Amino acid sequence: MSSFLEVENLRIRRGGVQVLEMPFFSMHAEEKVAIVGPNGAGKSSLLLGLACLIERVGGIIRFQGAEVVPRTEMAYRRRIAVVFQEPLLFDTTVLDNVAEGLRIRGKGRAEARDRARDSLELFRVGHLAGRSAQKLSGGEAQRVSLARAFAVRPELLLMDEPFSSLDLPTRIVLAEDLGRILHESGTAAIIATHDRIEAFHVVDRLVVMDRGKIVQEGTPQEVMAQPANPFVAAFKRTTGV
């Protein structure tokens, strides 16, 4: 049986420098994976490559058994959602922000707004529906960003350091909520993070990267208890993973 998501020999260059070299990576349906590593490890490049938002210079991405090629990229991107470190909300109401992705996918105005309201309630920010998205706190804005991603009911959710700008109490509560929602919905997810809170509350598997390559993977408990080499051990000590 084929993997839900599978990568072979993925290579990405940025500014003429190779920043990612991944011979193989796969995940199964409903799995939650954290990509961890220091700055420059290739975490963001991997997510952007998987989202087809930057060009890869080599390699294959397969999604549910089908190879993602230029002519199928748009259809693939409509089946996934991406949440960035900064919320990147439009200068309109919270409800309109969350409904936008549904309208782009051809949903009618009434259905888009109903699903947007449901998604806002899921992340406990339904009361903000009529507020300007430019007048939200950091935690509120990231909840709205996550609600926007979930509203389109993605088969795969990609998240790049989504909580890094938030204070510790906000990160803890939001990570707990996200972990619960991901598991209840069965949504597969990959999160790039350096934060132990996110790793333990959200994911099933850790993938540790260094200089564009995978150096260890396993459950969070396995990686914490049995680092594969001095780099993983040192990184674990400095980040708390």
Side-chain angles (χ1 to χ4, degrees):
M1 183 171 62
S2 62
S3 299
F4 173 76
L5 177 71
E6 188 173 274
V7 166
E8 290 183 10
N9 299 316
L10 182 64
R11 291 179 290 114
I12 292 175
R13 290 181 179 270
R14 303 181 77 172
V17 177
Q18 183 158 300
V19 295
L20 185 74
E21 181 181 355
M22 186 164 286
F24 185 78
F25 169 80
S26 70
M27 63 184 295
H28 59 71
E30 301 191 11
E31 189 175 14
K32 288 76 175 159
V33 179
I35 308 294
V36 301
N39 291 338
K43 305 186 299 295
S44 295
S45 295
L46 173 60
L47 290 191
L48 292 172
L50 291 176
C52 297
L53 294 176
I54 57 174
E55 185 177 359
R56 57 187 188 270
V57 296
I60 295 171
I61 298 173
R62 295 188 184 90
F63 187 64
Q64 296 196 1
E67 185 176 349
V68 178
V69 296
R71 65 180 174 81
T72 63
E73 277 186 5
M74 186 57 67
Y76 162 68
R77 286 172 60 182
R78 289 179 180 272
R79 299 170 67 185
I80 70 174
V82 184
V83 176
F84 297 100
Q85 181 175 343
E86 297 298 327
L88 302 176
L89 300 176
F90 304 120
D91 188 9
T92 184
T93 67
V94 165
L95 183 64
D96 284 342
N97 265 276
V98 177
E100 182 62 26
L102 293 161
R103 289 196 289 265
I104 290 172
R105 287 163 172 79
K107 303 300 180 184
R109 180 177 175 82
E111 180 183 357
R113 291 174 74 86
D114 286 345
R115 282 174 54 175
R117 287 191 183 93
D118 289 343
S119 194
L120 287 168
E121 291 293 343
L122 190 65
F123 282 91
R124 300 196 286 184
V125 284
H127 61 288
L128 301 176
R131 184 181 297 183
S132 167
Q134 304 302 306
K135 296 181 179 179
L136 302 176
S137 69
E140 290 170 341
Q142 201 57 284
R143 283 181 180 271
V144 171
S145 183
L146 287 163
R148 181 170 62 185
F150 266 86
V152 302
R153 297 173 186 167
E155 296 170 59
L156 172 64
L157 180 62
L158 304 173
M159 297 172 283
D160 189 8
E161 301 274 7
F163 308 144
S164 63
S165 63
L166 305 179
D167 59 75
L168 180 59
T170 302
R171 288 208 316 270
I172 292 172
V173 174
L174 189 47
E176 290 175 345
D177 284 349
L178 177 61
R180 172 181 52 80
I181 292 165
L182 283 172
H183 284 86
E184 288 178 355
S185 65
T187 304
I190 302 176
I191 181 170
T193 182
H194 62 276
D195 194 297
R196 176 175 179 169
I197 293 168
E198 295 166 28
F200 275 78
H201 281 97
V202 177
V203 307
D204 310 304
R205 176 162 53 114
L206 281 182
V207 175
V208 184
M209 292 186 64
D210 180 33
R211 290 175 288 185
K213 298 181 180 181
I214 294 175
V215 294
Q216 186 175 1
E217 56 184 308
T219 68
Q221 294 78 11
E222 289 169 346
V223 173
M224 188 172 71
Q226 298 178 313
N229 56 38
F231 166 80
V232 178
F235 183 69
K236 178 176 76 71
R237 286 194 301 272
T238 58
T239 62
V241 169

